[in-house]
Structures are given as C-alpha cells and as structure tokens.
Amino acid sequence: MLEASGPTSTRRLRAVVVVVTMAVVSVAVLGALAGRAVRGDLPSDAEKAEYIARLQTTVLPVVEGLRVEYFIDEPDCANLTYPRGDFVDGDPEHCGGSTPDPDPFDDAVRADHVRVAAALEESRTPIERAGGTFTGDHLSSALFMSREGAPFATSWELLYDPDDLEPKTATDLVTFSQVPGEHGWWFVCCGD
C-alpha cells in the first residue's frame, strides 16, 4: 500500500479539506439564497442508520483501503484523489480536481475509480461523493455527500469521525447533528 507523507501529501490533504469545506459552504449558501423554497425530504433517523450500516460495510472499507481523499463520478466528470495523486477524467476546467493541476486517468486510476463507484452502487444509498482525511495510517474522518432532493438547499452529508473528537459547530449556513445511536456519525445539512 502506498503511504502518503511529506510536503506534497500535506498540500494535497489541505487542498482536499479546502475543497470539501467549500462544497459544504457552497451547498449551504445556495440553499440559503434559494430560501429553501423547494425542500425535498431529508432522511429520517432510521434511514440515516440504514445508510450508515451500508456505508460501513461497502464504501468505508474501500475509502480506507485506497485512502481516497475525494471521489466524484458524474457525467463527463470523474475525479479520484488519493496517494497516487489527483486525477480527473473529463475537462479539468469543467469538473476541476482537488488540486490546481490534476492528472488524467490512467488504467490503474480508472480501475480504482471503478472500485469506489461499485462500492457506492452496492451500498444502495443516495450517496454520490465520498472521501476521507488521513493521519498516517489512521482515518481521521470520512465524508459521504448526497445531492438527493436537489436543488442544493436539500443536499446533505454523513460525516464519520471515528475518534469523535472534532467539535461540530452549527452556523447559519450549516448544521451538524449526531446521528442517534451511531457513534462518530454526524448528519450535515443546510442551516435552519
């Protein structure tokens, strides 16, 4: 297994954290601007628990095994950021990447991307994007994003913090709420 270390890995990790944070804030801002006039159904606590159980058995092991920092699989835009680098299959100007200069997919990256996509499909959840942050060999957190119920006002995420150490602070734009009965799992959505 490749181990990420050094300045390049730190820069990549910072870039991923910035991208994920920007995605959460962007979703929340767009939701606030839209006035949440059209609000889709958000998952119930029972549905959240069901999604978490499926993610833990299908997607989380792949994210941890490949050390996936960011994954997207959309039409004309696939992205995989992990220890090998930041890779995009599509127009970088259209779908970007986690760093300013992503590389194109090669056969190994494409195979790894297919593994993550297959795990997400197997999970039978509405999760479309995934990624994690790592400290050495330790998974520090993982983020699973759904755009179900879009427009963006109803996008939501499940955040896994295995050590449950990071304080989660709600803002006017984003709320964090622990998922009942699920240690280390948080539901992240638009502010109220």
Side-chain angles (χ1 to χ4, degrees):
M1 175 186 299
L2 294 173
E3 183 171 324
S5 63
T8 301
S9 175
T10 301
R11 282 193 302 270
R12 187 176 327 131
L13 177 59
R14 286 184 187 138
V16 170
V17 169
V18 167
V19 168
V20 171
T21 302
M22 288 174 53
V24 169
V25 171
S26 295
V27 166
V29 168
L30 289 172
L33 292 174
R36 286 178 218 87
V38 179
R39 186 173 198 91
D41 290 333
L42 296 176
S44 67
D45 286 344
E47 289 170 317
K48 292 174 200 170
E50 183 179 318
Y51 296 157
I52 289 167
R54 290 178 185 171
L55 291 168
Q56 285 179 314
T57 60
T58 58
V59 183
L60 193 56
V62 176
V63 167
E64 285 184 290
L66 292 174
R67 298 174 55 86
V68 174
E69 296 172 15
Y70 196 57
F71 168 89
I72 301 173
D73 187 20
E74 295 179 359
D76 301 320
C77 180
N79 176 257
L80 182 61
T81 303
Y82 66 146
R84 289 194 64 219
D86 180 28
F87 299 91
V88 172
D89 188 16
D91 180 3
E93 288 186 33
H94 164 68
C95 65
S98 298
T99 62
D101 191 25
D103 293 314
F105 273 30
D106 60 23
D107 291 341
V109 173
R110 191 169 316 284
D112 290 339
H113 190 272
V114 166
R115 284 182 59 197
V116 179
L120 280 169
E121 185 174 327
E122 183 182 344
S123 75
R124 298 181 328 275
T125 65
I127 300 302
E128 298 171 329
R129 298 179 183 196
T133 58
F134 299 85
T135 305
D137 289 333
H138 179 72
L139 175 72
S140 302
S141 66
L143 187 67
F144 303 94
M145 181 179 178
S146 171
R147 291 191 317 182
E148 182 178 82
F152 293 110
T154 57
S155 296
W156 53 268
E157 300 169 0
L158 288 168
L159 171 66
Y160 178 54
D161 179 1
D163 299 323
D164 211 11
L165 297 176
E166 185 179 328
K168 315 302 185 278
T169 305
T171 67
D172 290 341
L173 303 175
V174 179
T175 59
F176 293 84
S177 50
Q178 284 190 296
V179 179
E182 302 294 337
H183 176 76
W185 284 90
W186 295 78
F187 182 72
V188 184
C189 190
C190 42
D192 290 327

